[in-house]
Structures are given as C-alpha cells and as structure tokens.
C-alpha cells in the first residue's frame, strides 16, 4: 500500500476518535457538572527510506475543559454547586470517587447521596446523615452541613495537582491515583444551585459538521489513490 493511503487512514482514525468525543459532548449538554472534552493530537514521523519521512497523526489523550459551567438556581436545599476548583467526594465499593455534580438527595437512611445513590462523604471519611425529624438543611460556603439541631458534618471537598490525569468512570464520577488535597479557600459551596455542563452546543455541532467533511475528504483521497494504483497495475500488466 502507498504511503499516501497510510497517511489518509491515520487521519481518518484520528477523525473517528474525535467524532466520538464530540458526540459525547453533545450527548452531555444537559448533564450536571459535565466538562467539555477535546482530543490531543501529536505528529508521528516514520522513515520508510533513507531520505524519506512520512508524517502520521496520533491521538494521545483526551483533555477536559476545567472551566465552570453556568449555574442554575433550583431552590432545592440539597442541590449544591462548587463555585471554584474542587470536587465532592462520594463513597463506592471500590473506594472514594470524585464529582462536580451536586444534585444530591436523601436515601431511606437519611444519608446525603448523589444521583446514583452513592453516599456523599464528610471530611472525616463518613457519610453525612441528616437527623430524623429535622427539615431545615443549611450548607454554608465552607461546606458545613447543619440543621435546626446544629452542624452534622462538613463536606469533603478536594482537588488534585493534575486534574487532567483524572479518569472518568461514568455517571459524572472520576478516579485518580493522585492524593487529594483540600480545595483552595476561594472555592465555595452554593446551596440551591447546580453547575451545568460547560459544553457549547453550537460550537460542538459546527465541529461535528467539519469533522464529517474532513472524514469524507480523506475517504475520497483514498478512493482516488486506490483507483490510480489499480489503473497503473492494469497498464503495466498489458505492457508485459
């Protein structure tokens, strides 16, 4: 196969991956706390001959846009949003996981849980439980949860040195091998608000159309090159 077809094929593979990422962004336009994603590409040089270099494209990683999404007021006292850098901590069977989605509620044990039913952890590593018979839940800016009977715990809000190394595991949750650090002092908890996705739908739809055009262009180039090689072989076959 000619090098030009290899190059076009590597381009198509990268475009296909980027299409998947863009489609996922569009699908999560209305997902609480979702962060827009982009592919990181690098050049890969191959030397098939002594004086020849062929440039391929490789997708190296998915990079998240860590900027805050728009805040929506809900009036629900159990809806919480972080106005700066940081993550809520929830408990799972595989250990703690981290999320920006603060659409919490109470389970039948009156524990504060996320949308998937996972307990939200306090800074002492225990689930936050709202005492029976209480109804006035207040969450202060530093994450302290209290009722009319007094404080019941403080949300474990953490951050990491390199947030891009965090791996998305579904349902708005992230995991990382890095050690968590306390969120910066400027990070505040806003009660009765939810952080929306920071995806810009118009930008993503435009991106998808452009990617589809590039994919078709690469396919046409490959088809033309294949036809050129086929014609060349046919003419060479008739000449011998």
């Amino acid at each position: 196969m000619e090098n030009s077809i290899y190059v076009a094929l590597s381009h198509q593979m990268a475009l296909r991956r980027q299409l998947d990422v863009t489609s996922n962004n569009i699908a999560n336009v209305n997902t609480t706390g979702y962060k827009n994603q982009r592919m990181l590409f690098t050049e890969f040089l191959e030397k098939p001959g002594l004086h020849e270099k062929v440039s391929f494209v490789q997708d190296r990683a998915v990079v998240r846009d860590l900027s805050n999404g728009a805040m929506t007021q809900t009036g629900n006292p159990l809806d919480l949003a972080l106005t700066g850098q940081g993550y809520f901590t929830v408990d799972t069977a595989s250990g703690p996981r981290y999320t920006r989605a603060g659409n919490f509620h109470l389970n039948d044990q009156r524990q504060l849980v996320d949308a998937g039913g996972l307990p939200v952890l306090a800074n002492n590593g225990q689930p936050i439980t709202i005492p029976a018979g209480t109804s006035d839940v207040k969450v202060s800016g530093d994450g302290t949860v209290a009722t009319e009977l007094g404080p019941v715990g403080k949300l474990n809000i953490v951050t990491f040195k390199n947030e891009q190394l965090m791996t998305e595991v579904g349902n708005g949750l992230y995991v990382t091998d890095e050690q968590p650090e306390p969120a910066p002092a400027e990070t505040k908890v806003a009660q009765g608000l939810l952080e929306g996705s920071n995806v810009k739908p118009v930008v993503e739809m435009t991106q998808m159309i452009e990617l589809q055009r590039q994919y078709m262009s690469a396919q046409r180039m490959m088809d033309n090159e294949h036809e050129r090689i086929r014609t060349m072989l046919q003419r060479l076959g008739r000449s011998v």
Side-chain angles (χ1 to χ4, degrees):
M1 186 182 289
E2 291 290 332
N3 287 332
S4 57
I5 296 182
Y6 277 125
V7 171
L9 184 58
S10 77
H11 184 45
Q12 273 194 322
M13 292 173 65
L15 288 171
R16 178 62 181 270
R17 178 72 173 123
Q18 197 169 4
L19 272 170
D20 290 342
V21 172
T22 302
S23 299
N24 187 58
N25 288 338
I26 294 173
N28 286 282
V29 165
N30 296 317
T31 300
T32 303
Y34 179 81
K35 299 304 180 185
N36 189 61
Q37 299 179 346
R38 280 286 178 266
M39 291 301 304
L40 175 64
F41 296 101
T42 59
E43 182 184 33
F44 177 76
L45 287 177
E46 180 71 22
K47 296 182 179 180
L50 183 61
H51 302 292
E52 186 180 7
K53 291 182 180 180
V54 181
S55 177
F56 296 94
V57 60
Q58 279 189 317
D59 54 317
R60 287 294 186 183
V62 175
V63 179
R64 289 189 299 275
D65 176 4
L66 299 176
S67 63
N68 284 9
M71 299 293 177
T72 301
Q73 188 167 4
T74 67
N76 183 344
L78 299 183
D79 283 340
L80 307 176
L82 297 176
T83 61
Q85 183 183 10
Y87 297 85
F88 299 107
T89 308
V90 299
D91 192 26
T92 75
S94 302
R97 298 293 183 262
Y98 308 97
T99 183
R100 292 281 300 186
N103 46 337
F104 302 143
H105 63 277
L106 297 182
N107 63 11
D108 55 3
Q109 299 175 2
R110 296 189 63 81
Q111 291 179 338
L112 190 66
V113 296
D114 72 354
L118 298 173
V120 181
L121 296 181
N123 58 359
N124 62 0
Q126 299 300 313
I128 293 178
T129 302
I130 305 301
T134 60
S135 59
D136 186 18
V137 179
K138 299 292 185 183
V139 183
S140 60
D142 66 354
T144 299
V145 181
T147 69
E148 57 266 37
L149 299 180
V152 296
K154 186 176 182 181
L155 293 164
N156 189 45
I157 303 170
V158 299
T159 188
F160 301 91
K161 288 183 178 180
N162 192 341
E163 295 180 48
Q164 294 294 347
L165 295 181
M166 300 176 74
T167 302
E168 190 175 9
V169 293
N171 298 322
L173 302 178
Y174 298 91
V175 64
T176 179
D177 292 331
E178 289 193 312
Q179 289 299 313
E181 301 177 351
E186 58 267 23
T187 297
K188 300 298 181 184
V189 179
Q191 187 176 18
L193 297 175
L194 285 178
E195 179 190 6
S197 164
N198 64 359
V199 173
K200 297 178 175 60
V202 174
V203 173
E204 296 305 307
M205 290 301 298
T206 303
Q207 173 83 353
M208 175 167 284
I209 293 171
E210 179 60 27
L211 289 171
Q212 289 173 332
R213 287 175 176 171
Q214 291 182 33
Y215 191 92
M216 294 304 298
S217 177
Q219 185 62 51
R220 285 193 298 270
M221 193 278 285
M222 291 173 63
D223 291 341
N224 292 338
E225 184 65 8
H226 177 75
E227 182 63 25
R228 182 188 69 81
I229 295 173
R230 188 181 69 85
T231 302
M232 178 189 67
L233 292 175
Q234 287 178 341
R235 290 177 179 176
L236 286 174
R238 288 195 296 265
S239 64
V240 296

